[in-house]
Structures are given as structure tokens and as C-alpha cells.
Amino acid sequence: MEIKYVFIFFIVTCLHYASTRKTQATPEFDLLIFTQQWPATACKEWKKNDSTHTCVMPKNVDTWTIHGIWPTKLGTMGPAFCNRTWLFDPEKIRPIEIQLNQVWINIFGGTSLYSLWAHEWNKHGTCAAVLEPLNSELKYFSLGIDWLQKFSMNNILQSGNIVPSSTNAYSVVEINNAIKAKLGVDPAIECKKENGESYLSEIRICFTKDFKITNCDGIVSRKVFDYHSILTNCNTSKKILYPHYKDSKEGSIYVQLYKLVSWVQWFTL
């Protein structure tokens, strides 16, 4: 009789474990956040952390690049790292690597060429992969390229007469209005702050799980500029700087040398 009960307990335990594993393997999220970053500000922040840091810039230094595609639940963060055994494989993105090196570039000099892509896939891509159109590295990163072509902040901001400048600055309202006039949805506008100034850093637009553009309302860690219902962490009492990149030499031969060294490092670790 005791053996029978032990057997039943064993079966129930196994079924509970299997059920728990199944739940953990199916991440829940509401939106996909497509984040574009402004390289000049990303580089400025990188160098601020350490004066010896260098930056690897795209060929056109005054162009928005991709940071990531992030599955997210409204009102919370994540999910993240949904399959820790499905690690980024550089061979999977070979067909689009040349494009990625321009539009989804790792700006942080001295780090591995593949470190940004590996981080984005391991943390976010493995969660997005529950959607069939994103269930591989190639599909995930290809969608980023496609979205950048369709929703480039270079074109969107320029349509509202907002362009990189060493002298002009813009209010968060002007930036938000330019985006909303073009896309018809609420974005999230991110700044990096230094010495009381806000530097335009990232712009995030949101998509439903069937890939329709939608409002970013409800995503976390954004303050709301109540008067205009703008999602932003920028200083709304002052205008925002949208700077040019100044040190153009880092976008030339040093980039090629960095890529070669990083490639060797990745495969010899």
C-alpha cells in the first residue's frame, strides 16, 4: 500500500514540475518595444564613464541606429532571458551581418563586435521567439533592419524640422509632436542627462504581438509629462540637445581594426 502512495506522489510531483516548466517556457508579454538610439549621445555617455573609452560609429555618424526589440508587459519589466540555453550564434546572422554592422552597430569600442547582438538576443530575442516571425536569430535581427527602414527617426524627425545641431535645441513637445504627426501613436523619448542638460538618447515605438504599431502608453520606467501626456525621462523644463558627433576619426580606419580584433577575440575566448 505504501509503495502505491509513493508512486502516486511521484507521478503528481512530475506532472506539477512539467506544468511549471511549461509555464516558464512560455513568456507572457503585451508589446514589442522597438528602440532606436542616437549614436552621438551613446558615445558621449560611454566616454563620460571612462575618458579612455573610444566609440565605433556607423559610416554616417548622424544617423539613428537600432538598440533592440524588447518584449514587455504593461506595468512591469521584462520578460528577459527566457531560454538561457539558446545562446547567440554569430553564424545565424551571417547573411545580414554587413547590414547589421551599419544599422545595429555596437558603439562601445573595446567590447566584442558581437556583444551587443549577443546581449539583445539572449535577453530579449529568446523571449520574442515565441512569435513565429521572430523564432530565430535571423528573423529577429532582420525585423529590426526592416523596422528601421520603415520607421527611421532620421526621416521622422526631419519631417518636423528637427535635425542634429551644435547650436539648436528642441522641446520635448516638439520632438513628440513630430513623431506623433508621422506615426499617429505615443512614443517614449529617452534622454541622458549631464550638467543639467538633457541629450536626446533613444526613441522607442511600440508594436502589438501581431506587429501593428501602437501607443507605448503603459510601459514602465517612463515619467509622463502630464500636460501633454508625453512619455519621457527628459527634463521637460528645458530644451533637449540633439548633438552632432564630433570626433569623426573614430568612424574610419579605427573601426575596421576594431572589428578585426573583436572578431578574433570572440572566437578565441
Side-chain angles (χ1 to χ4, degrees):
M1 184 66 68
E2 291 182 1
I3 294 176
K4 176 181 177 181
Y5 287 122
V6 169
F7 179 74
I8 292 173
F9 176 77
F10 174 76
I11 294 297
V12 170
T13 301
C14 288
L15 288 173
H16 174 73
Y17 177 77
S19 175
T20 302
R21 294 282 294 177
K22 183 177 180 181
T23 301
Q24 291 175 342
T26 307
E28 295 181 0
F29 56 89
D30 301 307
L31 300 174
L32 295 164
I33 300 176
F34 177 53
T35 300
Q36 297 177 51
Q37 68 177 355
W38 184 238
T41 301
C43 179
K44 180 179 178 64
E45 186 76 6
W46 178 239
K47 289 183 174 181
K48 184 181 77 172
N49 293 335
D50 187 330
S51 60
T52 66
H53 282 165
T54 59
C55 301
V56 181
M57 304 296 284
K59 184 179 295 184
N60 177 0
V61 295
D62 278 345
T63 188
W64 288 80
T65 59
I66 304 166
H67 187 168
I69 300 174
W70 306 335
T72 188
K73 283 183 67 65
L74 296 176
T76 186
M77 297 291 286
F81 299 105
C82 295
N83 187 340
R84 293 183 182 273
T85 66
W86 192 355
L87 299 180
F88 174 75
D89 180 357
E91 292 302 318
K92 302 298 185 182
I93 50 88
R94 291 286 178 235
I96 58 172
E97 185 171 348
I98 292 175
Q99 290 173 280
L100 289 176
N101 273 323
Q102 286 303 313
V103 302
W104 202 324
I105 190 170
N106 178 18
I107 290 168
F108 306 131
T111 61
S112 165
L113 172 64
Y114 297 110
S115 60
L116 174 62
W117 302 336
H119 174 78
E120 293 302 312
W121 172 257
N122 296 342
K123 183 175 181 179
H124 304 290
T126 55
C127 301
V130 297
L131 304 177
E132 190 278 332
L134 294 174
N135 66 2
S136 71
E137 289 99 319
L138 184 59
K139 290 181 180 180
Y140 176 79
F141 289 101
S142 293
L143 181 64
I145 294 172
D146 181 54
W147 275 352
L148 187 69
Q149 291 172 342
K150 292 179 180 177
F151 306 104
S152 168
M153 284 301 144
N154 289 74
N155 301 331
I156 291 170
L157 294 178
Q158 190 172 11
S159 70
N161 296 315
I162 296 172
V163 295
S165 174
S166 300
T167 55
N168 294 338
Y170 305 92
S171 70
V172 71
V173 175
E174 290 174 306
I175 295 170
N176 188 81
N177 287 351
I179 299 167
K180 194 159 186 177
K182 200 72 175 177
L183 301 181
V185 295
D186 295 326
I189 302 168
E190 294 286 304
C191 288
K192 295 295 184 183
K193 300 173 185 177
E194 183 178 351
N195 299 325
E197 301 288 354
S198 285
Y199 292 83
L200 187 58
S201 173
E202 293 183 343
I203 293 177
R204 302 172 181 177
I205 56 177
C206 296
F207 294 83
T208 63
K209 290 193 287 186
D210 54 357
F211 307 100
K212 295 178 182 177
I213 194 166
T214 189
N215 292 314
C216 286
D217 303 349
I219 65 174
V220 301
S221 75
R222 303 284 71 76
K223 294 180 180 178
V224 178
F225 184 17
D226 291 327
Y227 181 71
H228 295 278
S229 297
I230 295 174
L231 304 170
T232 186
N233 74 333
C234 305
N235 184 349
T236 55
S237 65
K238 298 179 65 174
K239 290 197 171 185
I240 298 168
L241 300 174
Y242 183 18
H244 281 295
Y245 178 68
K246 296 179 180 179
D247 190 2
S248 60
K249 71 179 182 179
E250 287 182 287
S252 58
I253 189 171
Y254 299 99
V255 175
Q256 302 307 319
L257 179 61
Y258 159 77
K259 289 179 179 179
L260 176 61
V261 172
S262 295
W263 185 88
V264 171
Q265 288 176 338
W266 179 268
F267 284 102
T268 55
L269 288 176

